[in-house]
């Protein structure tokens, strides 16, 4: 099983790429944000617990996220690998993911990072709010908080990825198709 991370700030286009990549390479698309939004929609205990944090643009606890990830990995069958979207978002999440994958005989094969300017991120999220109706995209203050949360808690991962290798930062200010072709070239070039 291959393991790929699609990395980048909110609004970078991770979800759009993850959908088409997972289809092309038969990967299980694991979007922690989508999983949590589904929990909120279904008014589960977990959904109630995470709603206010998500509404503010803050991160949900590592413990909750890691429990979700491990259970999805262990229960997935019939795919050639996993594509993590919106995860890991903290250094600790990455550390635990690595240890868990190692334990079950897998590793992270590549981290693909979409690099996008802040003003474009904000524009994209506000536009997405109109299309998808995501509450955390509609409020400019929440959007800014999500970007600040990314800078503080998630961006430190870049240095770790750079040291580790198999890290591919890409210009994400382009079209979905252009980024998709670039990512496919990277994946096809891996052994
Ligand atoms: P996303 O759809 O990936 O932008 O995630 C939406 C929200 O879900 C985030 O702003 C966080 O509140 C929460 N969330 C999603 N993934 C994670 C994660 N890996 N760690 C912590 N919180 C997360």
């Amino acid at each position: 099983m291959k393991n790929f991370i699609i990395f980048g700030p909110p609004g970078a286009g991770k979800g759009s790429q993850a959908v088409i990549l997972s289809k092309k390479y038969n990967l299980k698309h694991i979007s922690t944000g989508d999983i949590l939004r589904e929990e909120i929609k279904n008014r589960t205990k977990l959904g109630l617990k995470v709603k206010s944090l998500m509404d503010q643009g803050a991160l949900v606890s590592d413990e909750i996220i890691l429990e979700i990830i491990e259970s999805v990995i262990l229960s997935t069958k019939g795919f050639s690998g996993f594509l993590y979207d919106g995860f890991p978002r903290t250094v600790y999440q990455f550390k635990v993911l690595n240890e868990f994958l190692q334990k079950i005989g897998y590793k992270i094969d590549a981290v693909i990072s979409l690099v996008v300017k802040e003003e474009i991120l904000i524009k994209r999220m506000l536009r997405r709010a109109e299309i998808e109706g995501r509450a955390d995209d509609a409020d400019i203050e929440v959007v800014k908080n999500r970007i600040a949360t990314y800078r503080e808690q998630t961006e430190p991962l870049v240095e770790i990825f750079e040291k580790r290798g198999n890290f591919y930062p890409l210009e994400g200010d382009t079209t979905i198709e252009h980024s998709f072709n670039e990512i496919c070239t990277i994946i096809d070039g891996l052994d």
Side-chain angles (χ1 to χ4, degrees):
M1 294 282 266
K2 295 283 180 195
N3 287 266
F4 301 111
I5 295 172
I6 183 115
F7 185 81
K14 302 185 296 294
S16 304
Q17 293 301 328
V19 167
I20 46 183
L21 287 167
S22 52
K23 206 164 156 195
K24 172 163 173 153
Y25 292 101
N26 188 36
L27 304 170
K28 170 78 178 169
H29 173 199
I30 309 182
S31 159
T32 40
D34 283 351
I35 293 170
L36 295 171
R37 276 185 289 279
E38 195 60 24
E39 295 284 335
I40 292 174
K41 202 173 97 195
N42 296 332
R43 296 173 194 275
T44 64
K45 213 168 126 188
L46 175 61
L48 290 172
K49 204 165 157 182
V50 299
K51 187 176 184 314
S52 74
L53 283 170
M54 287 178 72
D55 285 349
Q56 293 161 41
L59 293 188
V60 169
S61 77
D62 287 337
E63 193 193 2
I64 289 178
I65 296 293
L66 289 163
E67 204 179 310
I68 292 173
I69 289 287
E70 291 185 11
S71 111
V72 176
I73 292 176
L74 293 177
S75 61
T76 296
K77 288 188 180 67
F79 289 88
S80 310
F82 299 98
L83 179 56
Y84 306 95
D85 160 15
F87 171 86
R89 255 180 161 100
T90 63
V91 171
Y92 183 73
Q93 288 179 13
F94 181 62
K95 177 179 173 281
V96 175
L97 174 69
N98 262 314
E99 288 166 359
F100 181 70
L101 290 181
Q102 204 173 18
K103 216 162 61 187
I104 57 175
Y106 307 148
K107 65 174 170 55
I108 304 291
D109 294 280
V111 178
I112 292 139
S113 171
L114 300 175
V115 182
V116 180
K117 281 191 221 71
E118 195 149 317
E119 69 254 33
I120 295 181
L121 296 176
I122 295 174
K123 270 192 205 145
R124 281 191 188 167
M125 280 191 270
L126 295 175
R127 197 179 339 124
R128 187 167 65 181
E130 288 168 19
I131 301 165
E132 295 176 17
R134 269 180 65 169
D136 61 346
D137 277 342
D139 182 325
I140 183 79
E141 289 312 314
V142 176
V143 162
K144 285 187 178 161
N145 197 30
R146 283 163 65 205
I147 295 175
T149 302
Y150 170 82
R151 301 271 177 244
E152 280 161 29
Q153 301 192 55
T154 308
E155 205 162 50
L157 276 166
V158 169
E159 209 180 309
I160 297 174
F161 292 152
E162 278 169 350
K163 283 196 191 127
R164 226 190 122 254
N166 280 351
F167 176 57
Y168 303 91
L170 296 178
E171 188 58 63
D173 288 356
T174 110
T175 63
I176 291 180
E177 197 187 5
H178 182 83
S179 294
F180 177 63
N181 289 334
E182 279 194 310
I183 299 171
C184 291
T185 305
I186 292 166
I187 292 180
D188 294 341
L190 296 168
D191 41 43

